[in-house]
Amino acid sequence: SDSDSGAEDSSLSDSELQEAFARGALKPGLNVVLEERPKRRNDTDGLKQCLAEFRQQLAWVERLDVTLGPVADPVSQSASNTDAVDPENDFQREMSFYRQAQAAVLEALPRLRKLQVPTRRPDDYFAEMAKSDQQMQKIRQKLKSKQEAMERSEKAKQLRAMRKYGKKVQTEILQRRQKEKKNMLNAVKKYQKGLSDKLDFLEDEQTSSQGNKKGSANQRTKKGPNAKRRYKNQKFGFGGKKKGSKWNTKESFNDVSSFQSKVAHNKGPGKARKGGKKALNKRPGKRARQKMKNRAR
């Protein structure tokens, strides 16, 4: 049975221990006898002595410690009960901290004023920044880059909206044209089948085409030729024969009314020179030109 096997195991274990003890395998120190647990002492005098050693008797202005409960609730005009605050409710917990800080401020400010301790920052107060100018410059550049990115995103959004609106207008125009075409085709089919004897759709089409032609003609007349075309017209004329246009004819050969002898024979004003000789505008010779170059150098 199970009980007999358990007794045999325990007897075997005891016999093994006896054999080990006989061989000297069991040494002192393996089996430790537990002593009775020491009794706890509440040394009140010793604790008070230690507290007195590290306690510093300083004035309140050096400690600035204030221990108070929450200030009275302005709605209920009574101090809120700390037990009523639900620690799982974030709003109630933060409000209790806030009112407790308010009570500490209301208690500490009059005491500080009584001790003539200033509680407001002076107007000319100067405090060195915790961050360096380089760090602030990096922050400024980062903010600027963010702002530029936002502006670019806004512009892209506006462009997308404009494209969307333009596409919408274009689709509306195409739909309207398709609708007009469909109506005209239906009217033509009805006329062909003899269901209708009206030709109003042709008149509408003619008036619309004439209106388009008039509009384009008005635009052309108002606009006129461009600057390039006007310049070419002025330079080359408006077409026609160009070659031989300056040839003499019998009439131009016989017409001598515009002939001027003084101009023709170099007798105009300012042409006379010393000794009555005629000075012609001739190019100086090669040697003269060389001398003029040497003088200039």
Side-chain angles (χ1 to χ4, degrees), residues 3 15 47 49 75 78 84 92 101 108 122 140 151 168 172 174 194 198 201 208-209 225 243 246 250 262 264 268:
S3 59
S15 62
L47 292 173
Q49 183 179 356
V75 179
S78 62
Q92 289 184 2
R140 193 177 293 111
E151 290 177 357
K168 183 180 178 183
E172 288 178 356
L174 291 174
K198 295 181 181 179
F201 57 91
S208 62
S209 61
K243 189 174 182 180
K246 294 185 179 181
K250 184 178 181 181
K262 293 182 179 180

Short mmCIF file of all heavy atoms in Angstrom, two decimals, residues 3 15 47 49 75 78 84 92 101 108 122 140 151 168 172 174 194 198 201 208-209 225 243 246 250 262 264 268:
data_model
loop_
_atom_site.label_atom_id
_atom_site.label_comp_id
_atom_site.label_asym_id
_atom_site.label_seq_id
_atom_site.Cartn_x
_atom_site.Cartn_y
_atom_site.Cartn_z
N SER A 3 0.89 3.68 2.25
CA SER A 3 1.44 3.99 3.58
C SER A 3 2.69 3.16 3.84
O SER A 3 3.68 3.63 4.39
CB SER A 3 0.38 3.73 4.66
OG SER A 3 -0.02 2.37 4.60
N SER A 15 18.27 5.30 7.51
CA SER A 15 19.42 4.38 7.45
C SER A 15 20.57 4.99 6.67
O SER A 15 21.75 4.84 7.00
CB SER A 15 19.00 3.05 6.84
OG SER A 15 18.55 3.27 5.50
N LEU A 47 15.31 57.58 20.20
CA LEU A 47 14.79 58.26 19.00
C LEU A 47 14.69 59.76 19.22
O LEU A 47 15.04 60.56 18.34
CB LEU A 47 13.41 57.68 18.63
CG LEU A 47 13.40 56.24 18.12
CD1 LEU A 47 11.96 55.75 17.96
CD2 LEU A 47 14.15 56.13 16.81
N GLN A 49 16.48 61.51 21.25
CA GLN A 49 17.85 62.04 21.30
C GLN A 49 18.41 62.23 19.89
O GLN A 49 19.03 63.26 19.59
CB GLN A 49 18.74 61.09 22.10
CG GLN A 49 20.17 61.61 22.27
CD GLN A 49 21.00 60.65 23.09
OE1 GLN A 49 20.49 59.62 23.58
NE2 GLN A 49 22.28 60.97 23.24
N VAL A 75 -17.83 77.72 -3.43
CA VAL A 75 -19.23 77.42 -3.75
C VAL A 75 -20.01 77.03 -2.50
O VAL A 75 -21.05 77.58 -2.18
CB VAL A 75 -19.30 76.30 -4.81
CG1 VAL A 75 -20.75 75.95 -5.13
CG2 VAL A 75 -18.55 76.72 -6.07
N SER A 78 -17.20 76.01 2.61
CA SER A 78 -16.73 75.12 3.66
C SER A 78 -15.52 74.37 3.13
O SER A 78 -15.41 74.12 1.93
CB SER A 78 -17.82 74.12 4.08
OG SER A 78 -18.17 73.32 2.99
N ALA A 84 -13.51 62.82 1.27
CA ALA A 84 -14.50 62.79 0.20
C ALA A 84 -13.86 62.85 -1.18
O ALA A 84 -14.54 62.64 -2.18
CB ALA A 84 -15.47 63.96 0.35
N GLN A 92 -10.92 66.04 -9.15
CA GLN A 92 -11.03 66.29 -7.70
C GLN A 92 -9.66 66.28 -7.03
O GLN A 92 -9.38 67.11 -6.16
CB GLN A 92 -11.93 65.22 -7.07
CG GLN A 92 -13.40 65.34 -7.43
CD GLN A 92 -14.23 64.32 -6.69
OE1 GLN A 92 -13.71 63.54 -5.88
NE2 GLN A 92 -15.54 64.30 -6.97
N ALA A 101 -2.70 74.54 -1.94
CA ALA A 101 -1.68 75.56 -2.26
C ALA A 101 -2.23 76.96 -2.02
O ALA A 101 -1.51 77.85 -1.54
CB ALA A 101 -1.24 75.39 -3.72
N ALA A 108 1.00 82.27 4.15
CA ALA A 108 2.41 82.67 4.13
C ALA A 108 2.61 84.12 3.72
O ALA A 108 3.52 84.79 4.24
CB ALA A 108 3.18 81.76 3.17
N PRO A 122 11.03 92.80 -8.75
CA PRO A 122 11.17 94.21 -9.14
C PRO A 122 11.14 94.38 -10.65
O PRO A 122 11.37 93.43 -11.42
CB PRO A 122 12.54 94.59 -8.56
CG PRO A 122 13.28 93.33 -8.38
CD PRO A 122 12.24 92.29 -8.07
N ARG A 140 14.78 79.14 -32.67
CA ARG A 140 14.17 80.13 -33.56
C ARG A 140 14.16 79.61 -35.00
O ARG A 140 13.16 79.76 -35.72
CB ARG A 140 14.94 81.44 -33.46
CG ARG A 140 14.22 82.63 -34.09
CD ARG A 140 14.99 83.91 -33.90
NE ARG A 140 15.02 84.30 -32.50
CZ ARG A 140 16.11 84.29 -31.72
NH1 ARG A 140 17.26 83.89 -32.22
NH2 ARG A 140 16.05 84.65 -30.46
N GLU A 151 3.17 77.29 -44.14
CA GLU A 151 2.76 78.16 -45.23
C GLU A 151 2.76 77.41 -46.56
O GLU A 151 1.84 77.56 -47.37
CB GLU A 151 3.69 79.37 -45.30
CG GLU A 151 3.52 80.34 -44.14
CD GLU A 151 4.51 81.49 -44.21
OE1 GLU A 151 5.36 81.48 -45.14
OE2 GLU A 151 4.44 82.39 -43.36
N LYS A 168 -14.10 71.10 -61.55
CA LYS A 168 -15.55 71.04 -61.38
C LYS A 168 -16.27 71.90 -62.41
O LYS A 168 -17.25 71.49 -63.04
CB LYS A 168 -15.91 71.50 -59.96
CG LYS A 168 -17.38 71.41 -59.63
CD LYS A 168 -17.63 71.89 -58.22
CE LYS A 168 -19.12 71.86 -57.89
NZ LYS A 168 -19.38 72.38 -56.54
N GLU A 172 -18.73 70.69 -65.44
CA GLU A 172 -20.08 71.26 -65.60
C GLU A 172 -20.29 71.75 -67.02
O GLU A 172 -21.36 71.55 -67.61
CB GLU A 172 -20.28 72.40 -64.60
CG GLU A 172 -20.44 71.93 -63.16
CD GLU A 172 -20.59 73.08 -62.19
OE1 GLU A 172 -20.51 74.24 -62.65
OE2 GLU A 172 -20.81 72.83 -60.99
N LEU A 174 -18.73 70.71 -69.76
CA LEU A 174 -18.83 69.53 -70.64
C LEU A 174 -20.21 68.87 -70.52
O LEU A 174 -20.81 68.46 -71.53
CB LEU A 174 -17.72 68.54 -70.31
CG LEU A 174 -16.29 68.98 -70.65
CD1 LEU A 174 -15.29 67.96 -70.12
CD2 LEU A 174 -16.13 69.13 -72.16
N GLY A 194 -41.16 62.74 -88.03
CA GLY A 194 -42.42 63.42 -88.25
C GLY A 194 -43.19 63.71 -86.99
O GLY A 194 -44.35 64.12 -87.05
N LYS A 198 -41.03 71.56 -85.95
CA LYS A 198 -40.34 72.79 -85.53
C LYS A 198 -38.85 72.64 -85.80
O LYS A 198 -38.26 71.58 -85.59
CB LYS A 198 -40.57 73.06 -84.05
CG LYS A 198 -42.03 73.35 -83.72
CD LYS A 198 -42.19 73.62 -82.24
CE LYS A 198 -43.65 73.89 -81.89
NZ LYS A 198 -43.84 74.14 -80.44
N PHE A 201 -34.25 74.27 -83.11
CA PHE A 201 -32.89 73.89 -82.71
C PHE A 201 -31.86 74.39 -83.71
O PHE A 201 -30.73 74.71 -83.35
CB PHE A 201 -32.80 72.37 -82.54
CG PHE A 201 -33.19 71.60 -83.78
CD1 PHE A 201 -32.22 71.25 -84.72
CD2 PHE A 201 -34.49 71.22 -83.98
CE1 PHE A 201 -32.58 70.52 -85.84
CE2 PHE A 201 -34.83 70.49 -85.11
CZ PHE A 201 -33.89 70.14 -86.05
N SER A 208 -26.06 80.84 -81.93
CA SER A 208 -24.91 80.61 -81.06
C SER A 208 -23.61 80.69 -81.85
O SER A 208 -22.62 81.29 -81.42
CB SER A 208 -25.03 79.24 -80.38
OG SER A 208 -25.05 78.22 -81.35
N SER A 209 -23.61 80.10 -83.10
CA SER A 209 -22.39 80.15 -83.92
C SER A 209 -22.11 81.57 -84.38
O SER A 209 -20.96 82.03 -84.39
CB SER A 209 -22.53 79.23 -85.13
OG SER A 209 -23.62 79.65 -85.93
N PRO A 225 -3.03 94.10 -85.36
CA PRO A 225 -1.75 93.39 -85.51
C PRO A 225 -0.81 93.69 -84.35
O PRO A 225 -0.84 94.78 -83.77
CB PRO A 225 -1.20 93.92 -86.84
CG PRO A 225 -1.84 95.25 -87.00
CD PRO A 225 -3.20 95.15 -86.36
N LYS A 243 11.22 94.37 -106.89
CA LYS A 243 12.37 94.43 -107.76
C LYS A 243 12.13 95.44 -108.90
O LYS A 243 11.09 95.42 -109.54
CB LYS A 243 12.66 93.05 -108.33
CG LYS A 243 13.96 92.95 -109.08
CD LYS A 243 14.23 91.51 -109.49
CE LYS A 243 15.57 91.40 -110.20
NZ LYS A 243 15.85 90.02 -110.62
N LYS A 246 12.91 101.14 -108.33
CA LYS A 246 13.66 102.40 -108.39
C LYS A 246 14.25 102.66 -109.78
O LYS A 246 15.11 103.53 -109.92
CB LYS A 246 14.77 102.37 -107.34
CG LYS A 246 14.26 102.35 -105.91
CD LYS A 246 15.39 102.45 -104.92
CE LYS A 246 14.87 102.44 -103.49
NZ LYS A 246 15.96 102.56 -102.50
N LYS A 250 10.77 106.96 -118.61
CA LYS A 250 10.90 108.07 -119.57
C LYS A 250 10.48 109.38 -118.94
O LYS A 250 11.14 110.42 -119.10
CB LYS A 250 10.06 107.76 -120.81
CG LYS A 250 10.18 108.80 -121.90
CD LYS A 250 9.36 108.39 -123.10
CE LYS A 250 9.51 109.44 -124.21
NZ LYS A 250 8.70 109.09 -125.40
N LYS A 262 24.31 123.12 -107.55
CA LYS A 262 25.29 123.34 -106.48
C LYS A 262 25.56 122.04 -105.73
O LYS A 262 26.70 121.72 -105.39
CB LYS A 262 24.79 124.41 -105.53
CG LYS A 262 24.73 125.78 -106.15
CD LYS A 262 24.28 126.80 -105.13
CE LYS A 262 24.23 128.21 -105.76
NZ LYS A 262 23.80 129.22 -104.78
N ALA A 264 24.92 119.05 -106.92
CA ALA A 264 25.42 118.04 -107.84
C ALA A 264 26.90 118.21 -108.11
O ALA A 264 27.65 117.23 -108.19
CB ALA A 264 24.63 118.07 -109.13
N GLY A 268 27.94 123.30 -102.69
CA GLY A 268 27.06 123.66 -101.61
C GLY A 268 27.76 124.53 -100.60
O GLY A 268 28.97 124.79 -100.66
#
